[in-house]
Amino acid sequence: WVVEDDLAPQMDRIKELMAGEDADAALSEMERMLAGTAHDGEILYLAGIVYSNSGHDERAFDCFTRALTLTVDEKVRTVIKRHIEKE
């Protein structure tokens, strides 16, 4: 996926927080990002992971489902489908 350069640092920060198991901070950053950007498949997929790890299963499912509709790469779609099946 290609992400606009200005979003890449925000997405990297969220991934770092998730890797450090700081789900609350990752959720806060993700919600700020969602409020201020257009939603593409990559952002929605990351949001689904953040929501899932924060125990917000319905919101995770919604993000994964929306990411699936915006994603054309079949390998990526397969990964998203696995997350949907878990929710």
Side-chain angles (χ1 to χ4, degrees):
W1 283 328
V2 177
V3 177
E4 294 180 34
D5 289 340
D6 59 330
L7 296 180
Q10 289 175 284
M11 293 181 74
D12 288 344
R13 171 78 176 134
I14 292 167
K15 291 173 188 176
E16 289 171 10
L17 291 168
M18 292 301 297
E21 298 184 13
D22 193 346
D24 290 338
L27 180 61
S28 178
E29 290 284 330
M30 187 78 247
E31 289 186 337
R32 265 196 299 278
M33 187 173 173
L34 288 172
T37 63
H39 304 164
D40 68 9
E42 185 175 8
I43 291 171
L44 289 169
Y45 173 69
L46 181 58
I49 291 172
V50 171
Y51 284 126
S52 179
N53 288 344
S54 298
H56 299 277
D57 295 335
E58 288 182 29
R59 292 180 92 178
F61 181 82
D62 179 57
C63 288
F64 288 137
T65 303
R66 290 171 43 210
L68 189 61
T69 64
L70 296 172
T71 303
V72 294
D73 183 292
E74 199 53 44
K75 289 180 182 177
V76 176
R77 289 176 56 84
T78 300
V79 171
I80 295 170
K81 287 176 186 177
R82 278 191 235 133
H83 283 282
I84 289 172
E85 291 169 1
K86 283 195 246 178
E87 296 304 321

